[in-house]
Amino acid sequence: MKSYIQEKVNAFKDQNENRARLLINCPDQPGIIAAVSEFLYEHNANIVESSQYSVDPEGGEFFIRIEFDCPELQEKSQQLEDDFQKIADTFKMDWKFMYVYNVKKMAVFVSKEPHCLLELLWEWQSGDLMADISMVISNHETSREMVESLGIPYYYIPANKDIRQQVEKKQIELLHEHDIDVIVLARYMQILTPNFVETFKDRIINIHHSFLPAFIGANPYERAYRRGVKLIGATSHYVTNDLDEGPIIEQDISRVDHRDNAEDMKKIGQSVERSVLARAVKWHLEDRIIVHGNKTIVF
Amino acid sequence: MKSYIQEKVNAFKDQNENRARLLINCPDQPGIIAAVSEFLYEHNANIVESSQYSVDPEGGEFFIRIEFDCPELQEKSQQLEDDFQKIADTFKMDWKFMYVYNVKKMAVFVSKEPHCLLELLWEWQSGDLMADISMVISNHETSREMVESLGIPYYYIPANKDIRQQVEKKQIELLHEHDIDVIVLARYMQILTPNFVETFKDRIINIHHSFLPAFIGANPYERAYRRGVKLIGATSHYVTNDLDEGPIIEQDISRVDHRDNAEDMKKIGQSVERSVLARAVKWHLEDRIIVHGNKTIVF
Amino acid sequence: MKSYIQEKVNAFKDQNENRARLLINCPDQPGIIAAVSEFLYEHNANIVESSQYSVDPEGGEFFIRIEFDCPELQEKSQQLEDDFQKIADTFKMDWKFMYVYNVKKMAVFVSKEPHCLLELLWEWQSGDLMADISMVISNHETSREMVESLGIPYYYIPANKDIRQQVEKKQIELLHEHDIDVIVLARYMQILTPNFVETFKDRIINIHHSFLPAFIGANPYERAYRRGVKLIGATSHYVTNDLDEGPIIEQDISRVDHRDNAEDMKKIGQSVERSVLARAVKWHLEDRIIVHGNKTIVF
Amino acid sequence: MKSYIQEKVNAFKDQNENRARLLINCPDQPGIIAAVSEFLYEHNANIVESSQYSVDPEGGEFFIRIEFDCPELQEKSQQLEDDFQKIADTFKMDWKFMYVYNVKKMAVFVSKEPHCLLELLWEWQSGDLMADISMVISNHETSREMVESLGIPYYYIPANKDIRQQVEKKQIELLHEHDIDVIVLARYMQILTPNFVETFKDRIINIHHSFLPAFIGANPYERAYRRGVKLIGATSHYVTNDLDEGPIIEQDISRVDHRDNAEDMKKIGQSVERSVLARAVKWHLEDRIIVHGNKTIVF
């Protein structure tokens, strides 16, 4: 990674050496917030931001994200987690502490179209996307020059459906070797096997275009054009084994009109994809997302 | 119709006694604009606004909407149309002159949910929707009081799929009797027969909710909620025999998030439906829409 | 008030007979959330929604809004407040409990232009704005018929700067007599005296148009048009003694272009004013706003 | 300029070797469109897109932008302009033919903050901003490396108000030497003299942040934060001698809320500045803007 980006990352780590986020998801019942906030108070943690949501106050599901500062956090984090286990057991919580100074390691997968990869790299260079982009994996050589010029390793791994298993084996080795936290499919046009998806559950983010109505199948932009749609959209979601059907993280649209031909619509669609994916990835990096069933809570 | 609305309509007619719109659609070739603008100039018409669009400059389709003022228009309109026939023949034009002082006669169809009807009536009362709302037809009595309090006749015609033909026969009689120009389906939950659709081709405007992805079938809001969609949309279109598949006039969306339950999403969806339908109807009333194949050109 | 609106209000009260909101504002320090949530838990209250914000974690200001359900709330509310006093003293809190079943009594002030008043009445009729609109006060007779047809008392009180004190005396008497909670200036074109403003501190909501750049003085729309602005905006704020300078609640804009003349811009501006004011009023009615210094926290 | 960008520019020139735009502005009267379209037809030009606007049909101002294809345009352009002079005289037109294959030469001025420069370079690299970025001029060295890495000359010319005339002399020499068509002030924090402005009349585009209300003077973001504004905006305009007061090309806003501190607002403001400036520059490059008095017509 280029030195001016490395500097930004280091400054961020220093600023956040005592900051963590606690994410909880459990059956709703009275007393959860009291117990958790009492716990944090006793451990000298100061709550900076907290967001809570209950599906249905009576007998529903409870979600909370608390961001807090705690002196000497790096020394105390293990103790904190051990102590928390008791509360977690009482309320049957799914929970995790995320430490902000642990900047997440990210891998980007891309095929030929570079627009989404470019957006991520731009945001990253300008310091707006705080991650360690550890590698780019592609089944094409198209983006190598651009990626390597930023000091990021580029792995060219040809792929097609006949060699899917070998390809994924290589990819998973690389990802594990570099201890990757999150994978972004920035227009990676290969289907992933259930094994791959399971290995990185709730940690693979995808982007695809979306239309009203849906134009499933070939040439969606051509068909959207012929139908005269007025909106072009994009959806970013976590990958599950149902193709394009995982929990939605973010969506957006852009207006088009009769003057836009299929080619224009594609360009506009790519622009929406870029911004939707960038937002989804940022929220993931900031631990703002809780996956619950087939939906997301984005705090 | 209430007297203060009638006053607004009359004032509008007076202001526009010499104003017309010419809409043309023909194969593209050089010289069309020259011929049409020369024609209008020779007939003392002054162009106020013109919008033009060609699908593909070479051998494609040409569309134009010209709004113009012409002294003594009401006396001269027949002559104008007769004279224009020659140009129309030369260029193989689909064309029509629309006279702004001929305020369009509108019928609104509604079932139980009144939100779209309400929006139209509110816009109409405030003078923002220039039409003669001649009648409301409904298969429920729900909205009678509100409609009649504005001096608009309300026809209650029970409907279901078994008596579709008799029902439509009655409706068509009423519509013809009052010389209706445009029909707005403001959440009218009955399917129309091909005969009805053909009788009012390109003059029936519908509204329905739209999702990314589409949730076809029952309980769309419940399923959109369970999938965690972030956008709720609506689409207004001309009715054709393909259910919900006619040329799209307007679409829009509103953002939702995890805090919105299925009921909230429905309410938000209704709000989008209201504004999308109102815009589509206004554009139709202002003769801004040309239907071409299965799409619209909205000038 | 018309009976079908009364019915909606009654249903709302029944649904919310055990629901309250607690709003707190105090110097930030560790332990606040723990203390408050412990308190609510001990009083059998279940937190439904909570939003928290701290200006600056170290030595800054702390804000929280908690919505909760508590069985037999109406019998226990006094005890709850008495018990809470101890925590409030410990943390030097500004605080209040607001009971959702106490539907707020609202007075609307209007001059000649009815668009903002109309918007409020429409939202109110459709059940989207939960208030008891107890009266409309105007220095013109323009809107009497419309207001009275909804069963709302209309007080015509002529006003100008020479008789300001007598006028406000009459108004304050009326407002006190009906125990008014919130006053909405829906384009009321009279300046209020410091005495009036002080009497209803943080309970008077105003709306005005806003431009980029500002066009202070006469004919703002004409000047905005001549400058070719591309955006027309509106700002809703609490009234203080600095004219148009109180804490901002909500703002929004609408796009315009060269085809919009000064008259069109005015109409577009009125449309933005309507929606901005309606949102601001709703947030106030839902106790979502904390005023702090010259700004608002909107939860 | 890098070879892959040069390739895109060359492809664009080839595609548009026969395409031009005619921009006209004159007193309104009947017959203008007839005369112009007849002229183009006689010269074998085929109209691809035309947009027209009249301020006021009776005795007002007339504006039109016509995009057309004409075989062998590069050979015939001089003749075309000579022949058009007669029509132009008849209708007292301000007019110009712009040839699309003449890709405009652009200079970007920047001070320390690189965000607007970066945006332009990104759009340019991806082929979305069709210009020949011939140079960057800066009173700081900050952006040299980034600019030169794209093959664009970077001129460091220190500047302050005491040496304004010498500085501008050097700048103007450079600009003339390279035959610059348009100057973009991408956060260039120096005031230009009337002489400079006059030399490049209607060809200097500026960007600045905008607020509702305006916060004129020092620390606008800090003051906007303390006032609790809900919108942060940006305005792009042609530079005239009234500082920040020239004809507005484009404006936009972004929402902020109480959680955004002054630093966040600045960042959000920069993001709006980037997109507003990019749109304004594109419209200029596509000859979509006619300046009239102190406003713009953007077709």
Side-chain angles (χ1 to χ4, degrees), chain B residues 68-96:
Chain B
F68 62 88
D69 284 330
C70 183
E72 294 167 32
L73 181 60
Q74 304 189 37
E75 292 75 35
K76 290 160 58 179
S77 63
Q78 190 54 52
Q79 187 62 44
L80 205 67
E81 301 201 17
D82 292 347
D83 293 356
F84 190 73
Q85 190 61 53
K86 210 183 129 199
I87 290 178
D89 291 344
T90 307
F91 291 97
K92 299 188 173 51
M93 290 172 172
D94 274 345
W95 61 282
K96 58 181 170 182

mmCIF file of all heavy atoms in Angstrom, chain B residues 68-96:
data_model
loop_
_atom_site.group_PDB
_atom_site.id
_atom_site.type_symbol
_atom_site.label_atom_id
_atom_site.label_comp_id
_atom_site.label_asym_id
_atom_site.label_seq_id
_atom_site.Cartn_x
_atom_site.Cartn_y
_atom_site.Cartn_z
ATOM 1 N N PHE B 68 -48.137 26.382 -29.119
ATOM 2 C CA PHE B 68 -48.118 27.661 -29.847
ATOM 3 C C PHE B 68 -49.380 28.471 -29.567
ATOM 4 O O PHE B 68 -50.405 27.933 -29.139
ATOM 5 C CB PHE B 68 -47.973 27.430 -31.359
ATOM 6 C CG PHE B 68 -49.114 26.654 -31.974
ATOM 7 C CD1 PHE B 68 -50.253 27.309 -32.449
ATOM 8 C CD2 PHE B 68 -49.057 25.273 -32.095
ATOM 9 C CE1 PHE B 68 -51.301 26.605 -33.028
ATOM 10 C CE2 PHE B 68 -50.102 24.548 -32.662
ATOM 11 C CZ PHE B 68 -51.225 25.212 -33.122
ATOM 12 N N ASP B 69 -49.263 29.770 -29.798
ATOM 13 C CA ASP B 69 -50.417 30.672 -29.742
ATOM 14 C C ASP B 69 -50.773 31.078 -31.159
ATOM 15 O O ASP B 69 -49.893 31.306 -31.990
ATOM 16 C CB ASP B 69 -50.065 31.936 -28.943
ATOM 17 C CG ASP B 69 -50.038 31.665 -27.452
ATOM 18 O OD1 ASP B 69 -50.785 30.779 -26.996
ATOM 19 O OD2 ASP B 69 -49.268 32.326 -26.746
ATOM 20 N N CYS B 70 -52.069 31.200 -31.415
ATOM 21 C CA CYS B 70 -52.521 31.577 -32.749
ATOM 22 C C CYS B 70 -53.783 32.428 -32.588
ATOM 23 O O CYS B 70 -54.772 31.951 -32.021
ATOM 24 C CB CYS B 70 -52.807 30.300 -33.547
ATOM 25 S SG CYS B 70 -53.305 30.603 -35.234
ATOM 26 N N PRO B 71 -53.778 33.661 -33.076
ATOM 27 C CA PRO B 71 -54.955 34.526 -32.906
ATOM 28 C C PRO B 71 -56.204 33.892 -33.506
ATOM 29 O O PRO B 71 -56.131 33.252 -34.547
ATOM 30 C CB PRO B 71 -54.577 35.812 -33.647
ATOM 31 C CG PRO B 71 -53.102 35.733 -33.879
ATOM 32 C CD PRO B 71 -52.721 34.292 -33.856
ATOM 33 N N GLU B 72 -57.324 34.076 -32.840
ATOM 34 C CA GLU B 72 -58.615 33.534 -33.311
ATOM 35 C C GLU B 72 -58.559 32.036 -33.559
ATOM 36 O O GLU B 72 -59.109 31.522 -34.541
ATOM 37 C CB GLU B 72 -59.081 34.273 -34.573
ATOM 38 C CG GLU B 72 -59.394 35.730 -34.271
ATOM 39 C CD GLU B 72 -59.543 36.566 -35.531
ATOM 40 O OE1 GLU B 72 -59.993 36.025 -36.565
ATOM 41 O OE2 GLU B 72 -59.238 37.784 -35.451
ATOM 42 N N LEU B 73 -57.918 31.379 -32.676
ATOM 43 C CA LEU B 73 -57.666 29.944 -32.862
ATOM 44 C C LEU B 73 -58.956 29.142 -32.999
ATOM 45 O O LEU B 73 -59.063 28.254 -33.850
ATOM 46 C CB LEU B 73 -56.838 29.407 -31.689
ATOM 47 C CG LEU B 73 -56.471 27.930 -31.745
ATOM 48 C CD1 LEU B 73 -55.654 27.606 -32.994
ATOM 49 C CD2 LEU B 73 -55.677 27.522 -30.520
ATOM 50 N N GLN B 74 -59.965 29.477 -32.173
ATOM 51 C CA GLN B 74 -61.167 28.637 -32.162
ATOM 52 C C GLN B 74 -61.907 28.688 -33.497
ATOM 53 O O GLN B 74 -62.484 27.691 -33.925
ATOM 54 C CB GLN B 74 -62.060 29.013 -30.970
ATOM 55 C CG GLN B 74 -61.248 28.904 -29.682
ATOM 56 C CD GLN B 74 -62.062 29.052 -28.403
ATOM 57 O OE1 GLN B 74 -63.185 28.590 -28.308
ATOM 58 N NE2 GLN B 74 -61.464 29.679 -27.411
ATOM 59 N N GLU B 75 -61.840 29.850 -34.169
ATOM 60 C CA GLU B 75 -62.460 29.939 -35.489
ATOM 61 C C GLU B 75 -61.623 29.196 -36.529
ATOM 62 O O GLU B 75 -62.141 28.634 -37.492
ATOM 63 C CB GLU B 75 -62.594 31.399 -35.932
ATOM 64 C CG GLU B 75 -63.594 32.207 -35.103
ATOM 65 C CD GLU B 75 -63.034 32.572 -33.741
ATOM 66 O OE1 GLU B 75 -61.824 32.828 -33.632
ATOM 67 O OE2 GLU B 75 -63.810 32.551 -32.746
ATOM 68 N N LYS B 76 -60.282 29.227 -36.344
ATOM 69 C CA LYS B 76 -59.403 28.745 -37.404
ATOM 70 C C LYS B 76 -58.969 27.290 -37.257
ATOM 71 O O LYS B 76 -58.279 26.766 -38.144
ATOM 72 C CB LYS B 76 -58.151 29.640 -37.465
ATOM 73 C CG LYS B 76 -58.430 31.044 -37.978
ATOM 74 C CD LYS B 76 -57.327 32.020 -37.583
ATOM 75 C CE LYS B 76 -55.960 31.570 -38.100
ATOM 76 N NZ LYS B 76 -54.902 32.554 -37.724
ATOM 77 N N SER B 77 -59.330 26.663 -36.147
ATOM 78 C CA SER B 77 -58.725 25.352 -35.868
ATOM 79 C C SER B 77 -59.026 24.325 -36.958
ATOM 80 O O SER B 77 -58.153 23.553 -37.351
ATOM 81 C CB SER B 77 -59.186 24.847 -34.500
ATOM 82 O OG SER B 77 -60.578 24.657 -34.496
ATOM 83 N N GLN B 78 -60.244 24.319 -37.491
ATOM 84 C CA GLN B 78 -60.591 23.330 -38.507
ATOM 85 C C GLN B 78 -59.748 23.528 -39.759
ATOM 86 O O GLN B 78 -59.191 22.576 -40.322
ATOM 87 C CB GLN B 78 -62.099 23.405 -38.827
ATOM 88 C CG GLN B 78 -62.597 22.256 -39.709
ATOM 89 C CD GLN B 78 -62.244 20.898 -39.112
ATOM 90 O OE1 GLN B 78 -62.538 20.619 -37.954
ATOM 91 N NE2 GLN B 78 -61.551 20.040 -39.863
ATOM 92 N N GLN B 79 -59.628 24.794 -40.146
ATOM 93 C CA GLN B 79 -58.829 25.122 -41.334
ATOM 94 C C GLN B 79 -57.370 24.696 -41.134
ATOM 95 O O GLN B 79 -56.733 24.133 -42.029
ATOM 96 C CB GLN B 79 -58.926 26.640 -41.584
ATOM 97 C CG GLN B 79 -58.288 27.107 -42.899
ATOM 98 C CD GLN B 79 -58.983 26.490 -44.100
ATOM 99 O OE1 GLN B 79 -60.221 26.438 -44.154
ATOM 100 N NE2 GLN B 79 -58.216 25.953 -45.050
ATOM 101 N N LEU B 80 -56.866 24.966 -39.944
ATOM 102 C CA LEU B 80 -55.486 24.615 -39.603
ATOM 103 C C LEU B 80 -55.248 23.118 -39.809
ATOM 104 O O LEU B 80 -54.282 22.710 -40.446
ATOM 105 C CB LEU B 80 -55.257 24.978 -38.131
ATOM 106 C CG LEU B 80 -53.840 25.267 -37.652
ATOM 107 C CD1 LEU B 80 -53.301 26.541 -38.269
ATOM 108 C CD2 LEU B 80 -53.845 25.407 -36.138
ATOM 109 N N GLU B 81 -56.176 22.332 -39.276
ATOM 110 C CA GLU B 81 -56.014 20.881 -39.389
ATOM 111 C C GLU B 81 -56.113 20.414 -40.839
ATOM 112 O O GLU B 81 -55.351 19.547 -41.270
ATOM 113 C CB GLU B 81 -57.037 20.158 -38.495
ATOM 114 C CG GLU B 81 -56.898 20.553 -37.027
ATOM 115 C CD GLU B 81 -57.502 19.535 -36.057
ATOM 116 O OE1 GLU B 81 -57.741 18.381 -36.447
ATOM 117 O OE2 GLU B 81 -57.717 19.909 -34.883
ATOM 118 N N ASP B 82 -57.046 21.009 -41.556
ATOM 119 C CA ASP B 82 -57.181 20.630 -42.967
ATOM 120 C C ASP B 82 -55.902 20.943 -43.737
ATOM 121 O O ASP B 82 -55.398 20.123 -44.505
ATOM 122 C CB ASP B 82 -58.366 21.377 -43.618
ATOM 123 C CG ASP B 82 -59.712 20.912 -43.052
ATOM 124 O OD1 ASP B 82 -59.729 19.867 -42.362
ATOM 125 O OD2 ASP B 82 -60.720 21.598 -43.285
ATOM 126 N N ASP B 83 -55.394 22.162 -43.518
ATOM 127 C CA ASP B 83 -54.173 22.558 -44.227
ATOM 128 C C ASP B 83 -52.988 21.666 -43.853
ATOM 129 O O ASP B 83 -52.106 21.416 -44.670
ATOM 130 C CB ASP B 83 -53.805 24.021 -43.898
ATOM 131 C CG ASP B 83 -54.826 25.000 -44.457
ATOM 132 O OD1 ASP B 83 -55.761 24.552 -45.165
ATOM 133 O OD2 ASP B 83 -54.688 26.206 -44.191
ATOM 134 N N PHE B 84 -52.972 21.210 -42.569
ATOM 135 C CA PHE B 84 -51.806 20.459 -42.108
ATOM 136 C C PHE B 84 -51.736 19.065 -42.747
ATOM 137 O O PHE B 84 -50.668 18.457 -42.828
ATOM 138 C CB PHE B 84 -51.823 20.326 -40.572
ATOM 139 C CG PHE B 84 -50.533 19.787 -40.018
ATOM 140 C CD1 PHE B 84 -49.388 20.586 -39.982
ATOM 141 C CD2 PHE B 84 -50.431 18.482 -39.557
ATOM 142 C CE1 PHE B 84 -48.193 20.092 -39.491
ATOM 143 C CE2 PHE B 84 -49.235 17.975 -39.064
ATOM 144 C CZ PHE B 84 -48.119 18.792 -39.031
ATOM 145 N N GLN B 85 -52.896 18.580 -43.216
ATOM 146 C CA GLN B 85 -52.946 17.217 -43.734
ATOM 147 C C GLN B 85 -51.894 16.965 -44.809
ATOM 148 O O GLN B 85 -51.304 15.879 -44.875
ATOM 149 C CB GLN B 85 -54.358 16.934 -44.290
ATOM 150 C CG GLN B 85 -54.612 15.476 -44.651
ATOM 151 C CD GLN B 85 -54.486 14.549 -43.440
ATOM 152 O OE1 GLN B 85 -55.110 14.782 -42.424
ATOM 153 N NE2 GLN B 85 -53.636 13.524 -43.551
ATOM 154 N N LYS B 86 -51.596 17.983 -45.592
ATOM 155 C CA LYS B 86 -50.652 17.807 -46.699
ATOM 156 C C LYS B 86 -49.247 17.477 -46.174
ATOM 157 O O LYS B 86 -48.596 16.538 -46.646
ATOM 158 C CB LYS B 86 -50.616 19.084 -47.558
ATOM 159 C CG LYS B 86 -50.295 18.798 -49.033
ATOM 160 C CD LYS B 86 -50.202 20.079 -49.846
ATOM 161 C CE LYS B 86 -48.894 20.091 -50.645
ATOM 162 N NZ LYS B 86 -48.556 21.453 -51.073
ATOM 163 N N ILE B 87 -48.811 18.248 -45.202
ATOM 164 C CA ILE B 87 -47.502 17.983 -44.598
ATOM 165 C C ILE B 87 -47.502 16.589 -43.956
ATOM 166 O O ILE B 87 -46.552 15.827 -44.101
ATOM 167 C CB ILE B 87 -47.175 19.046 -43.527
ATOM 168 C CG1 ILE B 87 -46.913 20.383 -44.224
ATOM 169 C CG2 ILE B 87 -45.969 18.628 -42.696
ATOM 170 C CD1 ILE B 87 -46.624 21.505 -43.261
ATOM 171 N N ALA B 88 -48.584 16.304 -43.251
ATOM 172 C CA ALA B 88 -48.686 15.026 -42.557
ATOM 173 C C ALA B 88 -48.539 13.868 -43.540
ATOM 174 O O ALA B 88 -47.855 12.870 -43.262
ATOM 175 C CB ALA B 88 -50.013 14.945 -41.819
ATOM 176 N N ASP B 89 -49.151 14.016 -44.698
ATOM 177 C CA ASP B 89 -49.055 12.958 -45.709
ATOM 178 C C ASP B 89 -47.627 12.817 -46.218
ATOM 179 O O ASP B 89 -47.114 11.710 -46.359
ATOM 180 C CB ASP B 89 -50.008 13.250 -46.889
ATOM 181 C CG ASP B 89 -51.476 13.112 -46.482
ATOM 182 O OD1 ASP B 89 -51.730 12.504 -45.415
ATOM 183 O OD2 ASP B 89 -52.349 13.612 -47.210
ATOM 184 N N THR B 90 -47.006 13.965 -46.498
ATOM 185 C CA THR B 90 -45.637 13.951 -47.032
ATOM 186 C C THR B 90 -44.703 13.154 -46.128
ATOM 187 O O THR B 90 -43.871 12.377 -46.592
ATOM 188 C CB THR B 90 -45.098 15.395 -47.143
ATOM 189 O OG1 THR B 90 -46.036 16.167 -47.874
ATOM 190 C CG2 THR B 90 -43.725 15.420 -47.816
ATOM 191 N N PHE B 91 -44.850 13.403 -44.816
ATOM 192 C CA PHE B 91 -43.888 12.801 -43.879
ATOM 193 C C PHE B 91 -44.445 11.562 -43.163
ATOM 194 O O PHE B 91 -43.824 11.071 -42.243
ATOM 195 C CB PHE B 91 -43.434 13.847 -42.851
ATOM 196 C CG PHE B 91 -42.587 14.943 -43.431
ATOM 197 C CD1 PHE B 91 -43.143 16.170 -43.789
ATOM 198 C CD2 PHE B 91 -41.217 14.741 -43.622
ATOM 199 C CE1 PHE B 91 -42.349 17.186 -44.327
ATOM 200 C CE2 PHE B 91 -40.425 15.744 -44.139
ATOM 201 C CZ PHE B 91 -40.992 16.976 -44.505
ATOM 202 N N LYS B 92 -45.631 11.106 -43.569
ATOM 203 C CA LYS B 92 -46.236 9.913 -42.946
ATOM 204 C C LYS B 92 -46.379 10.080 -41.440
ATOM 205 O O LYS B 92 -45.953 9.224 -40.648
ATOM 206 C CB LYS B 92 -45.416 8.664 -43.260
ATOM 207 C CG LYS B 92 -45.325 8.346 -44.749
ATOM 208 C CD LYS B 92 -44.663 7.001 -44.997
ATOM 209 C CE LYS B 92 -44.724 6.603 -46.457
ATOM 210 N NZ LYS B 92 -44.240 7.662 -47.383
ATOM 211 N N MET B 93 -46.975 11.176 -41.066
ATOM 212 C CA MET B 93 -47.053 11.525 -39.645
ATOM 213 C C MET B 93 -48.261 10.914 -38.941
ATOM 214 O O MET B 93 -49.348 10.886 -39.493
ATOM 215 C CB MET B 93 -47.165 13.046 -39.475
ATOM 216 C CG MET B 93 -45.910 13.815 -39.827
ATOM 217 S SD MET B 93 -46.226 15.599 -39.801
ATOM 218 C CE MET B 93 -44.542 16.228 -39.993
ATOM 219 N N ASP B 94 -48.069 10.461 -37.692
ATOM 220 C CA ASP B 94 -49.143 10.401 -36.704
ATOM 221 C C ASP B 94 -49.174 11.758 -36.040
ATOM 222 O O ASP B 94 -48.135 12.205 -35.545
ATOM 223 C CB ASP B 94 -48.827 9.353 -35.618
ATOM 224 C CG ASP B 94 -49.267 7.968 -36.043
ATOM 225 O OD1 ASP B 94 -50.046 7.871 -37.001
ATOM 226 O OD2 ASP B 94 -48.809 7.008 -35.404
ATOM 227 N N TRP B 95 -50.288 12.408 -35.965
ATOM 228 C CA TRP B 95 -50.301 13.776 -35.459
ATOM 229 C C TRP B 95 -51.627 14.123 -34.838
ATOM 230 O O TRP B 95 -52.653 13.521 -35.127
ATOM 231 C CB TRP B 95 -50.002 14.760 -36.594
ATOM 232 C CG TRP B 95 -51.035 14.692 -37.694
ATOM 233 C CD1 TRP B 95 -51.114 13.728 -38.670
ATOM 234 C CD2 TRP B 95 -52.146 15.571 -37.898
ATOM 235 N NE1 TRP B 95 -52.199 13.956 -39.481
ATOM 236 C CE2 TRP B 95 -52.831 15.078 -39.037
ATOM 237 C CE3 TRP B 95 -52.602 16.720 -37.256
ATOM 238 C CZ2 TRP B 95 -53.981 15.715 -39.537
ATOM 239 C CZ3 TRP B 95 -53.742 17.362 -37.757
ATOM 240 C CH2 TRP B 95 -54.418 16.841 -38.884
ATOM 241 N N LYS B 96 -51.614 15.069 -33.930
ATOM 242 C CA LYS B 96 -52.869 15.654 -33.458
ATOM 243 C C LYS B 96 -52.648 17.062 -32.917
ATOM 244 O O LYS B 96 -51.596 17.370 -32.357
ATOM 245 C CB LYS B 96 -53.537 14.760 -32.398
ATOM 246 C CG LYS B 96 -52.692 14.481 -31.178
ATOM 247 C CD LYS B 96 -53.434 13.556 -30.209
ATOM 248 C CE LYS B 96 -52.470 13.100 -29.125
ATOM 249 N NZ LYS B 96 -53.069 12.166 -28.170
#
